[in-house]
Amino acid sequence: MKFSRQTTLRAQASVAGVGVHSGLPVTLTLGPAPVDTGFIFVRTGLDGRDREIQATAEQVIATDFATVLGDRSGPLVSTAEHVLAALRGMGVDNATIEVDGPEVPIMDGSAAAFIAAIDQAGIVNQPAQRRFIQVLKPVSVKIGDAFGEIRPYANGFRAEVEIDFTNPVIGRQSCGFDVSPERFRREVGRARTFGLMGDVARLWSAGYALGASFENTVVFDDERLLNTEGLRYADECARHKVLDVIGDLALAGLPLLGAYRSVRGGHKLNHAVLTALLADRTAWRVVEGEAARRTTRPVAEVGSGIVGGRIAAAYGPDVS
């Protein structure tokens, strides 16, 4: 993990696709932003004017099937987590995210297209020290059979997830990664959204997953993976949950120094843990550059992925 300078994008870069839930075409453009800006969504095409919204936990208004940002007037940007994961995972501190529709495009269901856009735009250093939120004590939340905890961690930021599906093809999977741009690109960024074929009708009737397809979702039935190209990782479902964690926790506003663990979690749990952490001012502090370096220990990147149950793969209610 680099602790010295804040970063932004050198230039703009765009991607175009459809929203996984809305099914509507949308273009997203990443661009530079000044020091200490964080991530700002710019929603265009609304009554002839643009509206900005800061990508922070306070702006989250829904977490049912995706992370939705909005204000008192209603939702502005849905499915924000994958592009936020790409920016945070690749080490970008400040950026604008311009979207001309109600939802970030799903692309191939992973963060790969956003990583490619970041590569195209280029990352540049800025003349200010990078700031971090350092976790000082454990904070945990339980929602039904889901459990999430963020705790102090001396080696930067780590994400650990465990999923446990009754679907025998997905089954129980777990993985954990010390997050760096290199590991994010290689081990997390290409993991795709997944779900169960049997839930399609229910999702459609509720107005969700209207843009979902085998091109952007890993789809399972009760016996097998339905995508003919197969999985990108044996534990791709768990890795996608790590991707979601990185994106949802990017809403802290600053990179985190801590370890996050979730069991049977999702966007709602991620948001609940982050909100609980930020609400407890004794549980964290802001540190800068060299001070952050002194509180951490350099270690080799480590990660693991374990799959339980039979491997097959993807479509379902956990569209995330």
Side-chain angles (χ1 to χ4, degrees):
M1 175 176 289
K2 296 181 179 179
F3 296 94
S4 54
R5 297 293 178 182
Q6 292 183 36
T7 63
T8 190
L9 300 176
R10 185 187 303 276
Q12 290 188 328
S14 299
V15 300
V18 299
V20 69
H21 294 303
S22 67
L24 298 174
V26 59
T27 297
L28 178 146
T29 301
L30 298 175
V35 162
D36 294 332
T37 297
F39 304 136
I40 292 184
F41 281 91
V42 181
R43 175 71 191 279
T44 64
L46 288 172
D47 301 323
R49 65 188 182 94
D50 298 343
R51 292 178 61 185
E52 295 185 356
I53 187 166
Q54 192 83 30
T56 62
E58 292 81 3
Q59 304 302 327
V60 174
I61 63 171
T63 55
D64 290 335
F65 295 99
T67 296
V68 182
L69 305 179
D71 55 24
R72 292 180 180 178
S73 67
L76 287 176
V77 181
S78 178
T79 321
E81 58 272 10
H82 297 172
V83 67
L84 291 176
L87 290 165
R88 179 65 74 219
M90 294 300 293
V92 179
D93 295 292
N94 306 300
T96 58
I97 310 162
E98 183 177 299
V99 185
D100 68 358
E103 188 176 11
V104 170
I106 190 62
M107 307 312 291
D108 72 348
S110 76
F114 305 122
I115 294 172
I118 292 168
D119 289 341
Q120 178 185 339
I123 300 175
V124 294
N125 290 327
Q126 295 178 290
Q129 289 193 75
R130 176 172 283 164
R131 298 184 300 149
F132 300 82
I133 292 176
Q134 181 187 17
V135 179
L136 301 177
K137 69 180 186 181
V139 174
S140 63
V141 173
K142 194 173 188 300
I143 302 175
D145 63 354
F147 173 82
E149 178 186 56
I150 191 162
R151 63 186 188 273
Y153 188 61
N155 300 325
F157 177 70
R158 181 172 177 82
E160 304 167 351
V161 303
E162 179 181 322
I163 61 175
D164 189 4
F165 281 73
T166 57
N167 178 282
V169 183
I170 301 175
R172 184 177 177 219
Q173 303 179 18
S174 64
C175 64
F177 298 97
D178 285 12
V179 179
S180 68
E182 297 78 13
R183 184 164 288 274
F184 179 82
R185 180 194 297 274
R186 186 175 68 249
E187 305 289 353
V188 179
R190 296 180 65 249
R192 295 163 295 176
T193 293
F194 67 95
L196 305 175
M197 194 68 192
D199 291 307
V200 174
R202 180 176 64 85
L203 289 169
W204 283 345
S205 66
Y208 293 102
L210 302 180
S213 70
F214 288 111
E215 283 69 47
N216 58 40
T217 307
V218 180
V219 185
F220 300 87
D221 66 14
D222 290 338
E223 297 181 351
R224 61 192 175 96
L225 167 66
L226 301 180
N227 302 66
T228 57
E229 75 277 13
L231 294 172
R232 293 177 177 175
Y233 313 94
D235 55 352
E236 186 168 359
C237 297
R239 292 188 191 221
H240 185 78
K241 287 290 191 177
V242 171
L243 190 156
D244 282 344
V245 163
I246 295 169
D248 288 339
L249 297 191
L251 295 166
L254 295 172
L256 291 164
L257 299 177
Y260 178 80
R261 175 173 175 260
S262 73
V263 179
R264 300 183 183 89
H267 301 300
K268 182 176 294 187
L269 181 70
N270 298 341
H271 180 63
V273 175
L274 179 58
T275 300
L277 171 71
L278 297 177
D280 185 350
R281 285 299 284 109
T282 69
W284 58 276
R285 65 176 179 174
V286 174
V287 294
E288 294 187 346
E290 288 305 314
R293 185 192 301 275
R294 290 193 295 271
T295 65
T296 63
R297 297 193 307 267
V299 295
E301 290 290 344
V302 295
S304 63
I306 303 169
V307 179
R310 291 177 292 158
I311 296 176
Y315 187 124
D318 202 288
V319 175
S320 60

